[in-house]
Amino acid sequence: MNNILFDIRNLSYSVLKKEILHSLSLKIYEGDYLSIIGPNGSGKTTLIKCLIKINKTADDKIYFKNVPIEKVTQKKLAAQISYVPQVNEQSFSFTSREFVMLARYPHLSRFTSITTKDRDAVRDALNLTKTTQFADRSLNTLSGGEKQMVFIAAALAQGGKVILLDEPATFLDPKHENDIYEILKTIHQKTNKTIVTVTHNINSAILYSDKIALLKNGEIVYCGDSDKITENNILQDAYDKKFTFIKHPTCNKSIILPEVL
Amino acid sequence: MIKNKKLVLLFFSILAGLTVILTPFIGMETIPFDTILHFGDSSIKSDIFWRIRVPRVLIAFIVGLALSIGGMTFQAMFRNSLATPFTLGVSSGAAFGAALYVKMGIIFSLAGITGQTIFAFIGALITITIVYLLSKIKKGFSVGTMLLAGVAINFFFSSFILFIQFMSDFTHSFRIMRWLMGGFEVIGYTDIYNILPFILVGTLIIVLLSTELNLLTLGEDLAISRGVNVNRIKTILFIATSLMVGGIISVVGPIGFVGMMIPHISRLIIGQDHRYLVVLNIIFGGSFLVLCDTLSRILIAPAEIPVGVITALLGGPFFIWLLITNSNNNTTI
């Protein structure tokens, strides 16, 4: 068994007095490829934002490598955990290279400039994600899929052991969606990083990740192997809906078939 | 955007150098070059040059640079070109502080800093806190709402200033009004000494935090995830901006729109990397205000137009242009 990276113990979290997460407990291990799924409003995004202190939580609820995260400075945390937000419509006039270089922030000290190590990290990240070709183009000029790749490149360049992703492929066409999952698989296998994604797409969670955590109303109702999520009406109960499953012809995992209405 | 950033900076540095060297000769009285070399004899022209024009150009330069990087800082933090200390009401808060000090009639200074400056600083800091708390109350408080709040704050403090004027005698009231127009007419070296520490400290802080400013333009969430202690950095930047705005307002009055126009144009020229942007704002902002002030001296000579009037005349249409070109995009920088 690998070491525990994140140990979440009885985490409750409220936004505007409304409790989103109800004493949620979850362990994430080193080397995991975990998908967090769940109905709308179940608290998926809220949860991963807690893991990097975008959402500030109460003391002693989340441990990262056995240390409560509120005791770790933001910069030290960022050196180990990177985050890819939901693809947003915001415009950034930075070039891709500038944007990826900004992710080196946790490794810079105030009075020294960018080192060769930083440049190498940026170059490698751009190469691995195949975004070198638009390194000097402004992010504003890229398509949604290209932009998402650059965001993943930035997360890589940040150099941590964990990458958290919020809906990495939701608004992308099938090709770009595949590209994203393929690159995540490569990152997971080649660099042995821990990957945690929040997603709406149950099939991609089953097919690409090793583990799935299923959230409903701010509580974990399932956490385990991704291919067992289709058993025992787990999904039916969580989503309040009947599902039709079919064996995927090449990988023998059960996936969801769209309904005929 | 121009790719070769160093070349841009070199070009603007030369421009700034020329501006600072040449403009003191220009005014109601054009001063021939050889007169300024006679330090000893107190010819009127040499006096005008050394005692009036030079300090005036210097203060216009440092005020211009401070307004520009203050504006740049706000634009980065609020992620919108329309959000500046002036448009969000911080300047009027500082002006109210200064006017209140004048009206109270007490005179004090602290460590060589006049009470008027301290009052203006406190006014700026209080307003910034109000603006920041407003933006925090509701997540996703839109920039449009922020600006409307700024308008309300402006009205609020303007009314207070009007009230102070109303309660004052005639000459006093005129002095406040004239000061509110913003200008450099009665500037001497002491004013520079008074304002310089504020601007040096503020500028130094902002220059040192230029990488953090880059990250803040990505939005709070991303900045946090990249390791920025957002709350602390924002607090430091707010204090730095308050220092500069308070210092400026107490000495030369509110000068609007420089902090909106210059950072925006600079960004179009050199891009969004604040490590370069801050330098361009310093040299461009400084020389821009020196030029505006030169215009204010010569346009209706022998009388003078307050420089705040000139910047507002340029800035009003610019503001509307920004509103139109960015209307369909919430994040405009």
Side-chain angles (χ1 to χ4, degrees), chain A residues 9 15 30 33 36 69 98 108 111 125 145-146 153 178 186 222 224 236 243:
Chain A
R9 302 174 188 171
V15 178
E30 219 173 310
Y33 186 155
I36 300 173
I69 55 166
E98 284 172 337
L108 303 177
F111 298 102
E146 293 166 340
N178 262 15
T186 313
Y222 173 87
Q236 274 85 334
F243 288 98

Side-chain angles (χ1 to χ4, degrees), chain A residues 49 90 93 105 110 158, chain B residues 79 212 221 225-226 272:
Chain A
K49 282 188 175 179
Q90 290 162 1
S93 54
Y105 178 76
R110 185 160 313 288
Q158 200 170 323
Chain B
R79 308 176 68 204
E212 280 80 357
D221 284 6
S225 79
R226 299 282 192 258
Q272 208 175 348

Side-chain angles (χ1 to χ4, degrees), chain B residues 69-145:
Chain B
I69 61 172
M72 178 199 77
T73 305
F74 263 49
Q75 290 176 341
M77 284 194 290
F78 291 102
R79 308 176 68 204
N80 192 296
S81 289
L82 298 170
T84 64
F86 188 75
T87 46
L88 292 182
V90 177
S91 299
S92 58
F96 169 68
L100 187 67
Y101 174 80
V102 173
K103 171 66 190 155
M104 277 163 58
I106 46 161
I107 290 170
F108 74 96
S109 65
L110 215 71
I113 298 158
T114 65
Q116 183 159 339
T117 308
I118 293 167
F119 266 62
F121 167 62
I122 295 171
L125 202 58
I126 289 173
T127 324
I128 282 187
T129 313
I130 295 172
V131 169
Y132 185 57
L133 289 180
L134 277 177
S135 75
K136 272 275 167 191
I137 284 175
K138 221 169 102 188
K139 265 212 160 174
F141 207 68
S142 81
V143 177
T145 321

Side-chain angles (χ1 to χ4, degrees), chain A residues 142-213:
Chain A
L142 303 183
S143 74
E146 293 166 340
K147 202 162 144 187
Q148 184 68 308
M149 264 317 180
V150 174
F151 269 72
I152 291 176
L156 270 176
Q158 200 170 323
K161 289 201 158 31
V162 192
I163 301 183
L164 312 173
L165 303 102
D166 197 352
E167 304 281 7
T170 302
F171 300 106
L172 304 180
D173 60 47
K175 183 202 178 300
H176 283 104
E177 187 181 346
N178 262 15
D179 289 350
I180 297 284
Y181 283 116
E182 213 173 300
I183 205 76
L184 289 180
K185 192 176 153 196
T186 313
I187 292 168
H188 182 234
Q189 288 173 350
K190 277 196 184 161
T191 61
N192 201 28
K193 286 187 200 291
T194 307
I195 293 184
V196 180
T197 72
V198 160
T199 180
H200 263 300
N201 190 332
I202 304 172
N203 280 343
S204 63
I206 294 171
L207 289 172
Y208 309 128
S209 53
D210 304 330
K211 289 184 186 171
I212 289 180

Side-chain angles (χ1 to χ4, degrees), chain B:
Chain B
M1 197 180 99
I2 299 164
K3 286 265 186 283
N4 194 334
K5 296 182 160 87
K6 293 196 171 119
L7 206 67
V8 173
L9 292 181
L10 181 70
F11 174 76
F12 275 92
S13 302
I14 294 170
L15 213 67
L18 288 175
T19 309
V20 172
I21 293 168
L22 295 180
T23 48
F25 293 99
I26 305 165
M28 186 182 86
E29 193 88 39
T30 307
I31 294 166
F33 179 68
D34 53 352
T35 40
I36 64 162
L37 299 171
H38 303 278
F39 291 102
D41 76 52
S42 53
S43 79
I44 291 176
K45 287 199 171 184
S46 160
D47 251 16
I48 292 177
F49 186 85
W50 289 110
R51 285 173 200 270
I52 298 174
R53 296 270 177 84
V54 170
R56 187 166 165 167
V57 164
L58 288 178
I59 202 145
F61 194 89
I62 58 175
V63 166
L65 81 84
L67 288 174
S68 301
I69 61 172
M72 178 199 77
T73 305
F74 263 49
Q75 290 176 341
M77 284 194 290
F78 291 102
R79 308 176 68 204
N80 192 296
S81 289
L82 298 170
T84 64
F86 188 75
T87 46
L88 292 182
V90 177
S91 299
S92 58
F96 169 68
L100 187 67
Y101 174 80
V102 173
K103 171 66 190 155
M104 277 163 58
I106 46 161
I107 290 170
F108 74 96
S109 65
L110 215 71
I113 298 158
T114 65
Q116 183 159 339
T117 308
I118 293 167
F119 266 62
F121 167 62
I122 295 171
L125 202 58
I126 289 173
T127 324
I128 282 187
T129 313
I130 295 172
V131 169
Y132 185 57
L133 289 180
L134 277 177
S135 75
K136 272 275 167 191
I137 284 175
K138 221 169 102 188
K139 265 212 160 174
F141 207 68
S142 81
V143 177
T145 321
M146 286 289 307
L147 289 171
L148 285 178
V151 172
I153 292 168
N154 261 320
F155 273 130
F156 182 75
F157 284 120
S158 303
S159 310
F160 261 120
I161 294 170
L162 278 178
F163 179 67
I164 290 175
Q165 274 183 281
F166 179 74
M167 299 296 283
S168 311
D169 60 67
F170 187 73
T171 49
H172 206 145
S173 171
F174 180 77
R175 249 181 57 204
I176 294 180
M177 193 188 77
R178 180 62 198 80
W179 168 75
L180 281 174
M181 290 178 190
F184 302 113
E185 289 76 12
V186 284
I187 290 299
Y189 287 104
T190 45
D191 294 307
I192 298 181
Y193 301 142
N194 216 337
I195 210 172
L196 201 57
F198 288 84
I199 291 181
L200 275 181
V201 172
T203 306
L204 192 68
I205 291 173
I206 291 171
V207 168
L208 284 176
L209 293 179
S210 51
T211 304
E212 280 80 357
L213 280 172
N214 278 340
L215 286 152
L216 284 174
T217 61
L218 305 178
E220 280 202 14
D221 284 6
L222 258 186
I224 293 172
S225 79
R226 299 282 192 258
V228 180
N229 189 334
V230 167
N231 284 336
R232 196 175 68 202
I233 297 291
K234 278 196 167 172
T235 307
I236 295 172
L237 287 170
F238 279 135
I239 291 172
T241 317
S242 304
L243 276 175
M244 296 199 300
V245 172
I248 291 167
I249 300 258
S250 66
V251 177
V252 299
I255 297 174
F257 298 107
V258 178
M260 183 169 67
M261 290 188 283
I262 301 303
H264 190 81
I265 297 170
S266 300
R267 195 174 289 111
L268 292 179
I269 296 172
I270 207 166
Q272 208 175 348
D273 189 341
H274 284 74
R275 289 170 305 159
Y276 296 97
L277 190 57
V278 71
V279 183
L280 182 58
N281 268 298
I282 288 172
I283 49 188
F284 183 25
S287 34
F288 173 78
L289 200 56
V290 170
L291 287 174
C292 285
D293 184 49
T294 311
L295 279 182
S296 86
R297 290 204 296 267
I298 56 176
L299 276 183
I300 54 163
E304 289 193 3
I305 308 170
V307 71
V309 173
I310 290 186
T311 60
L313 284 175
L314 292 170
F318 189 88
F319 188 101
I320 291 172
W321 174 72
L322 271 184
L323 271 179
I324 294 168
T325 52
N326 295 314
S327 56
N328 49 7
N329 192 345
N330 210 5
T331 315
T332 56
I333 66 170

